Amino acid sequence: MEGAEAEAREGAAVARDLQALGYEGFSGATSRGTSCPDFRALCARLAAELATLGALERERGESAEALRAGDGPGAEEGFLRQLAGLLRELRCPDRALCGGDGVAALREPGASLRLLRFLCSELQAARLLRLYPRLDPSPVQPCGEESEEGAGMVQELVLTLQALGLPRPTPGTAASRLLWELHDKISELLPSLPPGFLQPLLSSPLDAPRWEALESLCQRLGDQYCSRRCLLLKRLDLTTSSFHWSDRAEAQGEAMKAVLIPIREALTPESNVSIAHILAAREDLSRLIPATSKAVRRGTCCAINKVLMGNVPDRGGRPNELEAPMPTWQSRREDGGGRKAGRQSWGRKKKKK
């Protein structure tokens, strides 16, 4: 009985998400599963819009089109294979859907609702990210040294209000009142989420000593990573400056600077990770994927990885091949007086070839 009620609540939440996204015509196909052509068409449309908004790699555009399987005998099998790859690329936190046997998991009862819930949440996030650059920075323009930080905070606040469907506050609204409105709206929406959804990565309660320890740890890590970034940026500066040593760079020097300077100015040693990012992190952030895995390499491999270096000249510099300087004897000059017949001097022998 409880399972049926939970599934009904999940279905109602998916229907609300689809209606908010503009997919009202597919409400009857949400619980039919991958065997239903209408369900496959709905997933294909969601994946196609994700690809259009840039949430997927360009090569994945073909996969989004391949989700529109027909009604043939092997349509469902091909759809499930393509969908499993799509979920891995989107880093789906539901381990049952994107685990080892994801094809079988997608056919289980309730999997279709969880799949649609995940695709809807990814689409909502992609739409907000697309909207982010076009947002007005703030209703009241900040000034002073904290203008840049204030504009960023207001921009995040505007995104939060739009995501929750709240109107933009009028000038002069107290911060405490606005925070209470956000709290009430979030408390109203939380019961509609499935159990275990959006679990925080930091689940332990924080008292005053723990807050101080967390802030101190964040500061130390920030200083350490700042030193590392300074080192990497210095290496980058030296590498780019070496490009100007060649004869060809004299004619292309200004063009090279026009390309490199804007990119270099955007790289700062300070990190923008704060305690707020730790509190907002979800539990699925702790899933580490090796950089050499096949799924990751599909997005990071390029043509230069296939270039093999040939033989390079030996520049030497090995200490075991160098000999210490030995004294050599030279005859003295005739005007040297009553000194010895020869004098000792130090010279350096050539190294062995």
Side-chain angles (χ1 to χ4, degrees):
M1 187 65 179
E2 295 180 358
E5 293 179 356
E7 187 174 353
R9 289 195 301 267
E10 182 76 10
V14 170
R16 288 195 300 269
D17 291 343
L18 291 174
Q19 185 176 4
L21 292 171
Y23 291 90
E24 298 92 346
F26 292 91
S27 58
T30 55
S31 59
R32 297 181 183 178
T34 57
S35 60
C36 176
D38 293 338
F39 180 85
R40 297 198 296 266
L42 173 59
C43 294
R45 287 190 57 180
L46 294 174
E49 186 174 353
L50 284 172
T52 304
L53 294 175
L56 305 176
E57 302 171 5
R58 293 185 178 181
E59 294 80 6
R60 180 57 65 182
E62 300 179 358
S63 297
E65 294 292 335
L67 290 179
R68 298 178 180 176
D71 298 334
E76 184 181 1
E77 294 294 336
F79 173 82
L80 289 174
R81 286 194 298 269
Q82 295 293 336
L83 186 60
L86 185 68
L87 292 177
R88 285 194 297 268
E89 183 178 340
L90 290 173
R91 305 289 189 269
C92 178
D94 194 332
R95 300 189 179 184
L97 295 180
C98 59
D101 195 3
V103 175
L106 289 170
R107 290 174 172 166
E108 294 180 357
S112 58
L113 294 176
R114 300 202 312 272
L115 169 63
L116 289 177
R117 194 65 186 272
F118 171 72
L119 292 178
C120 289
S121 64
E122 290 293 317
L123 184 54
Q124 290 171 351
R127 288 184 179 181
L128 286 176
L129 291 176
R130 174 60 66 90
L131 184 66
Y132 187 88
R134 301 196 300 268
L135 292 176
D136 186 11
S138 62
V140 180
Q141 294 295 336
C143 58
E145 296 179 356
E146 300 180 355
S147 59
E148 183 177 355
E149 181 180 357
M153 293 174 61
V154 174
Q155 199 172 38
E156 295 291 341
L157 179 60
V158 172
L159 277 175
T160 305
L161 293 174
Q162 290 185 353
L164 296 175
L166 295 176
R168 193 164 183 168
T170 58
T173 303
S176 58
R177 178 182 176 184
L178 182 59
L179 290 176
W180 275 114
E181 291 180 358
L182 292 174
H183 180 270
D184 295 339
K185 186 64 176 179
I186 293 173
S187 301
E188 178 186 348
L189 296 176
L190 279 178
S192 62
L193 296 176
F197 194 75
L198 292 179
Q199 288 293 328
L201 183 61
L202 183 62
S203 57
S204 301
L206 298 176
D207 50 11
R210 291 183 178 181
W211 274 111
E212 295 178 358
L214 182 61
E215 185 176 0
S216 175
L217 178 61
C218 185
Q219 181 65 34
R220 290 200 301 270
L221 289 176
D223 295 340
Q224 182 181 125
Y225 281 106
C226 181
S227 301
R228 296 184 181 184
R229 288 172 65 90
C230 286
L231 175 61
L232 294 175
L233 291 176
K234 187 62 176 179
R235 290 179 177 177
L236 176 62
D237 293 338
L238 294 176
T239 302
T240 53
S241 64
S242 65
F243 294 157
H244 297 270
W245 296 347
S246 63
D247 297 334
R248 295 180 57 188
E250 296 180 0
Q252 302 292 335
E254 296 300 327
M256 294 169 62
K257 290 180 180 179
V259 175
L260 292 174
I261 289 178
I263 300 176
R264 177 61 182 87
E265 290 178 349
L267 300 175
T268 57
E270 293 80 12
S271 175
N272 58 354
V273 179
S274 62
I275 298 180
H277 292 84
I278 301 175
L279 299 177
R282 297 191 304 177
E283 188 180 13
D284 60 301
L285 189 63
S286 60
R287 295 177 56 192
L288 302 179
I289 300 177
T292 56
S293 63
K294 293 183 179 180
V296 176
R297 287 297 296 162
R298 280 199 299 266
T300 59
C301 62
C302 59
I304 198 172
N305 297 135
K306 301 178 182 179
V307 177
L308 300 179
M309 294 182 62
N311 296 328
V312 295
D314 186 5
R315 296 183 296 174
R318 289 176 285 274
N320 59 343
E321 296 182 359
L322 301 177
E323 296 183 0
M326 299 297 293
T328 58
W329 292 91
Q330 299 177 358
S331 59
R332 67 174 184 174
R333 298 179 179 177
E334 294 297 334
D335 56 354
R339 297 180 180 176
K340 294 183 180 180
R343 65 186 180 90
Q344 185 179 14
S345 64
W346 294 88
R348 183 181 295 274
K349 289 186 178 181
K350 297 182 179 179
K351 68 176 185 178
K352 296 180 180 180
K353 293 185 180 180

